[in-house]
Amino acid sequence: MPLPFDLSMGQGAYLAAALFAAALIRGFSGFGFSAIFIILAALTTNPLPLIPVVFSCEIAMTAFQAKGIRPHIDWHRAIALLGGAAIATVPAIAIMARLGEQEARLAISSLILVLSLVLLSGWQLARPVGRNGNVGVGAIAGIANSAGVGGLPVAAFLTAQPVPPAVFRATMIVFLTGIDVMALPVMAANGLVGPETLTGILLAFPILGLGIWAGSHGFQAVSQRLFRRAVVLMLTALSLLNIARLAF
């Protein structure tokens, strides 16, 4: 069976490995899935058609994790973040969908690099953030989600506050699910969803389930803070590599 999106067998195998690694990270930390997979995909192909596949996977991953996260979700924060994201989702996706392959790869890599550097900076908020602040960060995340990386601004925002690891993980999972549910119909309206998207989803799900299962079982084994920092360092290195390849 030919692979979707005109992928070669080598590209398909590479993306399958990237998907497993990203799912493993999401299962463990609650964030990083889309950004890891998209930046790895950008090294070998146009990532834009893959974003709806990634979003569908992200939504499905919630089913694997919903039972364990329910007591830890900060619903007030999640709802405010999603409200902000709803404001920015439509115009941001409309602009991204009109970029060429090279422009899209450069825009996505640059956005991931900037957000990763914010996370690495150790930025901290001086006082608790209210509803308006959460809505504002949600709007930024809605813009970033046009590139498949809406979780990174929120991860930076939550990391800058004294949020317990379990609450961070649970709230990120709920937010990412909600923002992806918003984005998929808008992507379909802009021509980014088609029959190949469904094929990609069906091929991805078995790999996804295995990665989530493995990552969720390792949640208690390693320091969340150190693990998240390692993920962000990897995103920084991969985005720099992709920008260098596009530049030269």
Side-chain angles (χ1 to χ4, degrees):
M1 181 182 73
L3 295 176
F5 312 118
D6 296 322
L7 295 172
S8 68
M9 290 302 293
Q11 286 175 313
Y14 167 80
L15 291 175
L19 182 67
F20 177 79
L24 186 75
I25 290 167
R26 164 67 186 266
F28 179 78
S29 67
F31 93 110
F33 172 75
S34 294
I36 289 289
F37 181 74
I38 291 298
I39 194 64
L40 286 170
L43 292 171
T44 187
T45 188
N46 181 5
L48 274 183
L50 297 173
I51 293 176
V53 176
V54 170
F55 286 175
S56 299
C57 290
E58 198 125 50
I59 293 166
M61 281 189 287
T62 302
F64 289 99
Q65 298 177 292
K67 183 178 179 181
I69 67 171
R70 199 169 299 156
H72 306 292
I73 300 166
D74 184 341
W75 284 108
H76 293 291
R77 190 190 300 271
I79 290 168
L81 288 165
L82 288 169
I87 297 168
T89 292
V90 172
I93 290 175
I95 293 169
M96 184 64 75
R98 285 158 177 76
L99 297 181
E101 177 177 345
Q102 295 297 93
E103 294 169 323
R105 291 168 74 176
L106 182 59
I108 289 169
S109 299
S110 300
L111 184 57
I112 291 174
L113 176 60
V114 169
L115 294 172
S116 297
L117 291 174
V118 171
L119 279 163
L120 287 173
S121 70
W123 165 64
Q124 294 290 308
L125 291 165
R127 60 175 185 265
V129 175
R131 180 177 177 276
N132 290 342
N134 283 292
V135 170
V137 171
I140 294 169
I143 295 169
N145 212 40
S146 66
V149 293
L152 289 184
V154 176
F157 178 61
L158 295 181
T159 301
Q161 301 172 73
V163 177
V167 175
F168 175 97
R169 180 173 177 264
T171 305
M172 283 296 301
I173 289 169
V174 169
F175 172 75
L176 290 169
T177 302
I179 200 174
D180 292 345
V181 168
M182 287 181 205
L184 280 172
V186 183
M187 290 191 155
N190 283 275
L192 293 174
V193 177
E196 288 186 301
T197 306
L198 179 59
T199 304
I201 292 167
L202 293 174
L203 290 171
F205 272 8
I207 303 167
L208 186 73
L210 184 60
I212 284 290
W213 177 85
S216 296
H217 279 71
F219 178 54
Q220 302 296 335
V222 182
S223 164
Q224 281 283 300
R225 185 180 63 82
L226 293 177
F227 187 82
R228 287 203 297 264
R229 185 171 181 82
V231 170
V232 176
L233 284 169
M234 181 167 62
L235 284 170
T236 304
L238 289 170
S239 56
L240 285 169
L241 175 61
N242 205 33
I243 290 169
R245 288 184 62 185
L246 290 168
F248 300 105

